[in-house]
Amino acid sequence: MTELAGERINLSAPWIDERDEELVLEVLRSGWLSLGPTGPRFESLLADAVGAPYCAAVSSGTAGLHLCMRLVGVGPGDEVITSPYSFVASANCAIYEGATPVFADIDPHTYNLDPAAVEAAITPRTKAIVAVDIFGYPAEYDALIALCDRHGIALVEDSCEALGAEYKGRRLGSHGHPAVWAFYPNKQMTTGEGGAVTTASEEQHELLVSLRNQGRLETSSWLQHGRLGFNYRLDDLSAALGIGQLEKLDRILDARRAVAASYGELLADVDVEVPLADDADHVRSWFVYVVKLPAGVDRGGVMRRLADDGIATAPYLPSIHLQSYMRERYGFSEGMLPVSEDCSARTLALPFHARLPREDQERVADALRRAIA
Ligand SMILES: Cc1ncc(COP(=O)(O)O)c(C=O)c1O
């Protein structure tokens, strides 16, 4: 271990301020810690922020994805197509309902589902597509929606990493299909743990509200349950923090965009592929800053050198189909999804958050330049 050049630089950090503290304290002092008035206030602000008519807050992004499988009727024997280059929850939600996850390969630059690969993976058993906006970059919705319409398949958007991103001039969440959001502390905004599902349909929203609260019917009296549900509620303390975060969401997103732009400059002469730039159809919401190392570079060695300099990095993202439980359950193996596997072997997340100081970014860029050379 060499002597650290400065303070340790962490991968991520939430932006929590006095306003957040005040809002959480207010709920704490009110004594109404769950199913109070704060949850609906948070839901209404979030619906406005993404341009969706309805929003149901839930206990996590994973819970939201699981409920979406119920929403679109996924069950035993069905297949659900999703991206292998994502967080495991994008695929696990199908397994929870007895369906089989089917992985389609990704585009090597957007890291999102390649619509042609999705089309090739459709079978008579395909019930839904879970499209992921990985690292906050919008997936190809026009092509995916067209596929879903043509084949009678449901589309669910895993936008857990993409709050604030836009596709074709409109915020993700406003394109008609259910979209799932997540608020773990490394996300653009946080509620501690927490998530939400936004929908355009009142009927879907009512089903979500019932399913997250143990299957209670809106009309039923206390402890009358009309269907099998879950406890996937978001408590009011978390919702209060969510309100504080939404109040400053634009500032958070701007700050993250500025850090990304500054990384782009600092890494211009470093031999890595930096994240894809926005274009007329895609505006990213910056979640993590992931670079792709040149083929043949020893990523483990690079990570160790950065760690020696006090810099945290992560091998984002392993391909889901190669996780041990996936191999055991479905017999998946190397070579099935070459683009995803190649990206998984070469991509690296650098420290990234809204208030990462320029001098820390310089330290990261210098250390990366040295490690690769
Ligand atoms: C793409 C994606 N999907 C789903 C999730 C699950 O969210 P949560 O951790 O809130 O369950 C995450 C969170 O990391 C994610 O990044």
Side-chain angles (χ1 to χ4, degrees):
M1 202 58 175
T2 55
E3 198 179 319
L4 297 188
E7 292 287 300
R8 191 184 144 77
I9 306 178
N10 295 323
L11 258 191
S12 70
W15 177 338
I16 307 290
D17 60 21
E18 280 180 9
R19 174 69 179 150
D20 297 312
E21 291 172 10
E22 186 185 298
L23 286 160
V24 173
L25 205 55
E26 230 172 68
V27 171
L28 203 52
R29 287 182 175 150
S30 77
W32 206 345
L33 306 190
S34 195
L35 293 175
T38 312
R41 263 174 54 216
F42 170 60
E43 290 173 331
S44 152
L45 287 173
L46 185 60
D48 287 349
V50 304
Y54 301 98
C55 173
V58 289
S59 53
S60 69
T62 305
L65 286 167
H66 183 193
L67 293 189
C68 280
M69 295 297 96
R70 283 289 178 95
L71 217 53
V72 302
V74 165
D78 291 334
E79 293 175 355
V80 176
I81 300 174
T82 191
S83 171
Y85 191 78
S86 183
F87 185 63
V88 286
S90 311
N92 287 350
C93 58
I95 305 175
Y96 296 157
E97 289 300 313
T100 305
V102 172
F103 296 103
D105 217 340
I106 58 165
D107 176 288
H109 304 295
T110 65
Y111 304 126
N112 281 329
L113 277 172
D114 170 359
V118 173
E119 182 157 29
I122 292 173
T123 74
R125 286 158 61 154
T126 307
K127 186 81 180 189
I129 296 172
V130 176
V132 186
D133 307 305
I134 205 71
F135 307 150
Y137 194 85
E140 296 308 325
Y141 286 103
D142 276 1
L144 294 172
I145 290 168
L147 273 183
C148 286
D149 288 349
R150 200 155 64 244
H151 294 272
I153 299 169
L155 179 61
V156 169
E157 182 172 350
D158 179 343
S159 33
C160 288
E161 301 187 354
L163 181 66
E166 291 176 17
Y167 177 71
K168 301 224 162 155
R170 296 209 332 259
R171 280 217 163 168
L172 297 185
S174 69
H175 292 267
H177 48 268
V180 182
W181 312 93
F183 308 122
Y184 184 76
N186 69 340
K187 296 293 189 299
Q188 287 89 335
M189 60 158 270
T190 187
T191 57
E193 295 285 353
V197 184
T198 51
T199 52
S201 139
E202 186 176 7
E203 201 184 327
Q204 286 187 328
H205 177 69
E206 281 174 2
L207 184 54
L208 286 166
V209 168
S210 169
L211 285 172
R212 76 171 172 194
N213 193 16
Q214 304 282 19
R216 274 181 213 175
L217 302 176
E218 197 54 41
T219 48
S220 70
S221 58
W222 186 244
L223 295 185
Q224 297 301 309
H225 301 260
R227 56 172 66 84
L228 178 67
F230 307 89
N231 178 359
Y232 284 168
R233 298 184 300 263
L234 186 76
D235 64 280
D236 278 36
L237 291 165
S238 304
L241 176 54
I243 291 171
Q245 299 277 294
L246 281 172
E247 284 178 357
K248 56 182 159 288
L249 181 64
D250 288 344
R251 271 194 292 147
I252 294 176
L253 297 181
D254 286 349
R256 293 176 85 95
R257 194 173 302 118
V259 172
S262 150
Y263 256 142
E265 283 166 25
L266 292 167
L267 294 172
D269 65 343
V270 180
D271 188 16
V272 292
E273 186 181 314
V274 295
L276 199 63
D278 291 348
D279 61 28
D281 292 343
H282 309 80
V283 176
R284 183 195 299 265
S285 165
W286 286 91
F287 166 53
V288 284
Y289 197 93
V290 170
V291 296
K292 195 192 278 175
L293 304 182
V297 166
D298 167 20
R299 182 177 59 180
V302 169
M303 291 178 65
R304 278 191 296 280
R305 289 203 182 148
L306 268 74
D308 285 349
D309 285 336
I311 298 167
T313 57
Y316 264 29
L317 274 162
S319 289
I320 302 175
H321 66 290
L322 297 182
Q323 298 283 355
S324 57
Y325 74 103
M326 283 281 174
R327 292 173 186 256
E328 283 157 23
R329 282 181 89 108
Y330 303 106
F332 296 148
S333 59
E334 276 90 359
M336 279 178 56
L337 297 147
V339 181
S340 177
E341 291 168 28
D342 179 59
C343 293
S344 290
R346 291 163 55 197
T347 47
L348 184 68
L350 304 180
F352 183 75
H353 55 88
R355 298 193 285 186
L356 187 69
R358 172 83 178 187
E359 61 264 29
D360 284 6
Q361 298 165 38
E362 285 167 1
R363 257 180 68 198
V364 173
D366 289 345
L368 189 60
R369 185 181 297 107
R370 283 198 308 276
I372 289 174

